[in-house]
Amino acid sequence: MNQLKHYTLEEVSEGVFAAIAKNSGGACSNSGIIDLGDQTIIFDTSFTIQAAQELRQIAEQVTKSPITYVINSHWHGDHIRGNMVFKDCSIIASQKTKMKIDETHPSLLKEHKESIHQYKDHVTNLRKNRELEEDKEEIESLTDSILQMEEIISTLPEVEYISPSHTFNEGMTIKGSQLTAQLISVGQGHTEDDSILFIPERGVLFTGDILVKNTHPYMLDGNVFEWLESLKKISEYPCSHWIPGHGKVGKIGDLTTLVNYMTEMIQLSKQNTDVPLIDIPEPYSSWKGRQTFYSNIEVIRTQLK
Ligand SMILES: [Zn+2]
């Protein structure tokens, strides 16, 4: 396979591939490619056209069967904007997720396209910060952010809004000649409705953003208490691999880490400290998206009321 720009590909079990988003690429979230034998399914379609095209090319190279179903785990743009590359397939989401996509995306996409100059200014600022930076790791992280923003900007004007063509209610099973895939709606947590994909014969679970690794989970559109319930539910699946929405391939211990994070966040939110004065606890201080830590505290405070 040619050098990949947007993903690192990992065959976690025979026929089951995790496409892990590179920090410098245009994917901005992980995807899955599952070869069921006579058909292939794709889990989540990334944030940009070019990442979705790469995802499709990988799928066509590593599996020999046609792509039939493409799943949107939840309504966030970084998991669905690549839908336009899969227009010829059945794009599936839960009923609630499709409703949310239809309600939010036409206006969000328009707003983002109109903000393209602000994104370009943001890249200019990141470049300036990089010039002043001396820490090697920080320079690498800024370089990744610059490259990623440039990927997003480069095709933003051409992104088309494509809504899921099919919906399911609580769950559906896709039976292939070799493997079975179970698509399940877990309910409210990270968003109003999050779906997961379980491959029982291989013990692999694609979690969408219910699980994220070494990344502050984005809590603004969900409910932390329901999310903890979702984590408990997905921990009960007999799996050896949990593929998170963001970060590298996970194990059961990563679910425990996220439960601990949320439990600590709830405790921190109850303290009477001004949000900017709260220190990010040690195990999470190196996680991606420090700003999200502070917005999460605000969100939990409103949910505690
Ligand atoms: Zn999300």
Side-chain angles (χ1 to χ4, degrees):
M1 191 174 306
N2 299 330
Q3 178 68 30
L4 299 175
K5 190 172 183 192
H6 306 285
Y7 294 101
T8 305
L9 189 70
E10 196 176 324
E11 187 169 13
V12 290
S13 184
E14 196 189 337
V16 183
F17 300 83
I20 303 296
K22 285 187 178 175
N23 291 337
S24 56
C28 307
S29 77
N30 298 336
S31 284
I33 299 167
I34 305 97
D35 184 357
L36 300 184
D38 53 349
Q39 57 177 315
T40 293
I41 53 182
I42 302 280
F43 186 80
D44 280 342
T45 64
S46 92
F47 200 37
T48 63
I49 302 170
Q50 64 275 33
Q53 283 166 340
E54 186 174 88
L55 180 67
R56 186 163 188 154
Q57 279 161 13
I58 303 168
E60 286 166 353
Q61 280 181 40
V62 297
T63 78
K64 297 286 167 274
S65 50
I67 299 167
T68 50
Y69 293 105
V70 174
I71 294 148
N72 290 157
S73 65
H74 63 289
W75 67 268
H76 286 158
D78 54 337
H79 297 255
I80 72 159
R81 276 210 186 152
N83 281 2
M84 62 182 284
V85 172
F86 298 95
K87 274 193 278 194
D88 57 321
C89 312
S90 296
I91 302 177
I92 324 177
S94 74
Q95 284 171 5
K96 278 189 193 156
T97 292
K98 180 182 160 66
M99 260 171 61
K100 195 70 195 171
I101 290 173
D102 291 339
E103 184 186 307
T104 51
H105 273 269
S107 56
L108 259 181
L109 192 55
K110 185 167 175 278
E111 195 185 304
H112 286 179
K113 287 184 181 186
E114 286 166 1
S115 308
I116 199 158
H117 291 288
Q118 286 163 32
Y119 300 143
K120 288 179 181 170
D121 290 346
H122 180 56
V123 172
T124 309
N125 287 333
L126 289 172
R127 285 184 186 285
K128 281 182 192 154
N129 292 347
R130 185 173 61 178
E131 274 165 34
L132 300 171
E133 187 57 57
E134 283 172 1
D135 182 77
K136 197 170 158 266
E137 265 181 44
E138 197 51 39
I139 292 173
E140 272 177 30
S141 151
L142 282 163
T143 302
D144 283 344
S145 302
I146 292 164
L147 292 170
Q148 185 160 76
M149 276 310 291
E150 285 174 344
E151 288 290 342
I152 294 166
I153 292 166
S154 71
T155 50
L156 180 57
E158 289 108 71
V159 177
E160 274 175 55
Y161 160 66
I162 301 293
S163 178
S165 53
H166 293 73
T167 61
F168 67 98
N169 197 358
E170 284 170 8
M172 68 179 267
T173 299
I174 305 166
K175 259 192 152 334
S177 60
Q178 302 284 329
L179 297 180
T180 308
Q182 294 172 1
L183 180 57
I184 301 128
S185 154
V186 183
Q188 194 184 15
H190 167 63
T191 60
E192 288 77 354
D193 196 40
D194 308 314
S195 299
I196 56 171
L197 187 75
F198 179 45
I199 316 298
E201 295 98 331
R202 294 285 183 265
V204 182
L205 190 83
F206 291 87
T207 68
D209 284 356
I210 297 175
L211 177 66
V212 296
K213 237 184 115 169
N214 294 321
T215 306
H216 289 278
Y218 181 79
M219 293 179 166
L220 209 64
D221 296 319
N223 179 292
V224 67
F225 301 101
E226 300 285 347
W227 196 335
L228 280 165
E229 286 300 313
S230 302
L231 280 163
K232 187 166 175 285
K233 276 185 214 161
I234 71 167
S235 73
E236 284 160 5
Y237 281 82
C239 286
S240 47
H241 296 92
W242 279 262
I243 317 302
H246 300 270
K248 293 184 177 155
V249 172
K251 299 270 178 216
I252 186 82
D254 295 302
L255 298 170
T256 315
T257 303
L258 197 56
V259 168
N260 292 343
Y261 172 93
M262 290 189 186
T263 313
E264 261 187 80
M265 292 293 279
I266 294 168
Q267 291 311 319
L268 284 170
S269 304
K270 287 177 180 167
Q271 292 171 10
N272 222 351
T273 318
D274 280 348
V275 173
L277 300 178
I278 299 174
D279 282 326
I280 302 181
E282 189 46 54
Y284 322 117
S285 59
S286 60
W287 283 14
K288 267 181 78 180
R290 293 176 66 83
Q291 276 315 313
T292 308
F293 169 85
Y294 294 102
S295 58
N296 284 345
I297 296 275
E298 305 267 20
V299 169
I300 297 172
R301 279 189 180 167
T302 59
Q303 290 174 0
L304 284 167
K305 276 178 194 161

